[in-house]
Amino acid sequence: MTVPLSSTREIARLLSERNSFLLTTHVNPDGDGLGCEYGLYHVLRRLGKKVRVVNAASLPENYAFLDGDIFETYDGAAHDAWIMSADVVLILDTNEIDRIGDLGKIVRESGAVNVIIDHHPHPTAIADVYFIDDQASSTGELVFSILRELIGQDFGYEAALGLYTAIMTDTGSFRFPRSTPRVHRIAADLLEHGVDPARVYEAVYESFPLRRAKLLGLMLRDIASIADDRVTVAIITRDMFNEAGAEEEDVDDMVNYGLAIGGVKMTILLVEHSKGVRMSFRSRGDIPVNELAARFGGGGHRNAAGAFVSDTALDEIRTRLKEELEDFIAVHLDGERDG
Ligand SMILES: [Mn+2]
């Protein structure tokens, strides 16, 4: 479906005219959503606004360098009255109300202007205002444009740190296809505000707990290779979590290892959660893994997509995936297109 899109200027005007803001992002929050929250929080505060950052999930450990005190974990008793009276709710890095978790209900009920700022395709009609560009590398790139319109060059270190984190993580450290010249120019601009790229990278990607390394080891030990080694399928079971002493949040980003093997065009990771199976899909080039994810009720981008199948056993998902893959590989990897 299509939704009416607002311009950079219209969003900047909304931020400048209103006074109280709730900032939120999706469950399993990533560097893009969290970095945008951090950047917007600091700029809006500097403009004298009332701002709270409330997410359904707590701040992952590797993002604690974004001064964790501003990130609140949603608790109805503590937040509902404030959310009901806020002027604006900024929903960052997702366009599905279900993805903001337990906040969805109160955000719907609130009289606030609900604004979606996002770079995922196919928005659902849940908000009052949409600022969406599905060609952007990241929500951070979009927030940069809005803040540039709002405050000019004067980002300040904190906002620059937040947006650099957002863009670095969502571009896979500036290597994904949407790492355009414009994205690099924005990054250069942010570095000029004092951001230290080595420190951000180390904090996000090189500070994992030992349990994550052990879980990764178990995943890679059993990774399967199919379709003449062009597709890998990895599985993380409850037993692996237990053996490694790991948590579900430790899985973040592990799907990419399946694609970091010579000749592999597509990878799939199945993670057995307590309430279902999370499926992550990654591909190179023209292989539309969002179409594969859609067959399991999910979605995403052409080269990165996901699905969550609840109340279904891992074995059943594996069987269904095997069936779907036969057809998908024939069409998209073997080129047996039938119109
Ligand atoms: Mn994003």
Side-chain angles (χ1 to χ4, degrees):
M1 70 156 301
T2 48
V3 296
L5 299 180
S6 293
S7 68
T8 315
R9 186 164 299 171
E10 286 165 332
I11 303 293
R13 192 188 314 135
L14 183 77
L15 298 186
S16 126
E17 287 175 353
R18 303 297 181 118
N19 286 313
S20 58
F21 296 84
L22 169 74
L23 312 184
T24 193
T25 185
H26 51 83
V27 292
N28 302 312
D30 60 18
D32 194 18
L34 296 165
C36 288
E37 290 180 330
Y38 189 76
L40 280 163
Y41 174 87
H42 282 283
V43 169
L44 292 170
R45 289 283 295 172
R46 193 144 50 85
L47 297 175
K49 314 289 185 182
K50 296 194 186 94
V51 192
R52 287 178 88 166
V53 179
V54 182
N55 295 326
S58 58
L59 187 69
E61 278 172 49
N62 57 327
Y63 291 104
F65 72 99
L66 297 175
D67 183 355
D69 284 352
I70 73 162
F71 295 96
E72 302 180 53
T73 305
Y74 176 66
D75 166 6
H79 295 121
D80 282 356
W82 198 88
I83 295 172
M84 284 303 286
S85 69
D87 293 335
V88 177
V89 176
L90 297 180
I91 300 168
L92 298 157
D93 200 38
T94 181
N95 57 48
E96 293 171 55
I97 198 94
D98 292 347
R99 292 275 289 145
I100 63 171
D102 292 343
L103 275 85
K105 185 166 175 289
I106 192 73
V107 164
R108 275 183 206 270
E109 288 172 8
S110 165
V113 178
N114 292 342
V115 181
I116 287 185
I117 303 176
D118 186 38
H119 66 124
H120 296 90
H122 314 307
T124 49
I126 55 164
D128 304 304
V129 176
Y130 298 85
F131 188 74
I132 292 175
D133 178 359
D134 64 12
Q135 299 303 306
S137 65
S138 54
T139 302
E141 185 180 344
L142 303 177
V143 170
F144 179 90
S145 304
I146 293 165
L147 293 184
R148 178 47 64 79
E149 179 76 25
L150 183 66
I151 56 169
Q153 310 285 335
D154 184 23
F155 274 57
Y157 172 73
E158 281 85 6
L161 177 65
L163 297 191
Y164 184 87
T165 303
I167 293 169
M168 182 196 82
T169 52
D170 254 33
T171 57
S173 305
F174 304 98
R175 73 182 197 281
F176 292 160
R178 287 179 186 150
S179 306
T180 57
R182 173 183 147 79
V183 165
H184 284 268
R185 286 191 192 99
I186 292 172
D189 196 305
L190 298 171
L191 294 186
E192 281 169 355
H193 287 88
V195 176
D196 177 347
R199 180 175 161 261
V200 177
Y201 187 91
E202 183 180 328
V204 175
Y205 293 120
E206 298 177 337
S207 62
F208 291 115
L210 181 62
R211 61 172 193 264
R212 182 182 188 274
K214 292 190 170 177
L215 186 66
L216 177 61
L218 296 173
M219 180 194 92
L220 292 175
R221 181 190 66 191
D222 293 343
I223 195 167
S225 179
I226 60 173
D228 300 322
D229 297 335
R230 292 172 299 164
V231 177
T232 53
V233 181
I235 297 173
I236 298 178
T237 63
R238 297 312 303 170
D239 285 348
M240 291 181 183
F241 280 114
N242 293 337
E243 187 178 341
E247 312 283 336
E248 288 170 5
E249 68 179 49
D250 293 319
V251 173
D252 185 38
D253 226 35
M254 278 191 195
V255 62
N256 295 310
Y257 286 85
L259 201 60
I261 298 165
V264 172
K265 305 278 187 250
M266 174 169 86
T267 190
I268 300 145
L269 172 62
L270 307 183
V271 179
E272 187 180 18
H273 283 248
S274 44
K275 289 175 184 161
V277 176
R278 176 163 294 285
M279 310 178 74
S280 300
F281 306 82
R282 296 289 184 276
S283 68
R284 295 188 191 284
D286 291 338
I287 301 169
V289 283
N290 49 354
E291 291 179 16
L292 187 56
R295 299 185 196 180
F296 295 88
H301 302 287
R302 185 175 58 189
N303 294 133
F308 189 87
V309 187
S310 51
D311 301 322
T312 308
L314 180 61
D315 279 343
E316 196 180 325
I317 301 288
R318 288 172 69 167
T319 307
R320 273 188 53 202
L321 177 63
K322 207 174 161 190
E323 291 165 7
E324 296 288 356
L325 272 177
E326 274 183 33
D327 172 56
F328 189 85
I329 287 169
V331 173
H332 295 288
L333 279 88
D334 297 336
E336 291 174 16
R337 292 171 188 276
D338 49 8

